Amino acid sequence: MAPLRGWGPKGKRLRGLAPHGHWRTLTFLGALRWDRLAAPCVFDGPINGQCFRAYVEQQLVTVLKPGDIVIMDNLGSHKSAAGK
């Protein structure tokens, strides 16, 4: 959103810039522990079942310890055939 008001030199036009064009989607995944964030990962674009499965197999499984609990929300990529 472009700013509607601002401060500038007296008598000079205040120029405000606003981004325009195509927006990019980035998806961030991570394992939240009580004392830190583990297995952070950023995907360029929206998440799908194939990307989610690759994250679980390559990053999440490597940081899990016996007794850890994994909770997933109701995201479509969690329910895909690749995510099961």
Side-chain angles (χ1 to χ4, degrees):
M1 295 185 61
L4 300 176
R5 296 171 185 80
W7 295 93
K10 187 173 183 175
K12 300 285 184 176
R13 181 180 294 267
L14 177 65
R15 299 195 52 157
L17 302 175
H20 65 282
H22 298 287
W23 296 95
R24 290 184 43 201
T25 300
L26 294 175
T27 303
F28 177 79
L29 295 176
L32 186 61
R33 295 185 176 272
W34 72 273
D35 60 342
R36 69 183 183 279
L37 180 68
C41 184
V42 177
F43 290 99
D44 186 18
I47 191 79
N48 57 29
Q50 183 180 5
C51 292
F52 180 71
R53 182 176 179 145
Y55 166 74
V56 170
E57 290 176 351
Q58 297 172 17
Q59 292 193 349
L60 183 62
V61 171
T62 62
V63 299
L64 291 177
K65 298 178 179 133
D68 283 348
I69 299 171
V70 177
I71 300 173
M72 297 185 293
D73 60 7
N74 201 19
L75 188 64
S77 61
H78 298 163
K79 297 186 284 186
S80 71
K84 291 182 180 180

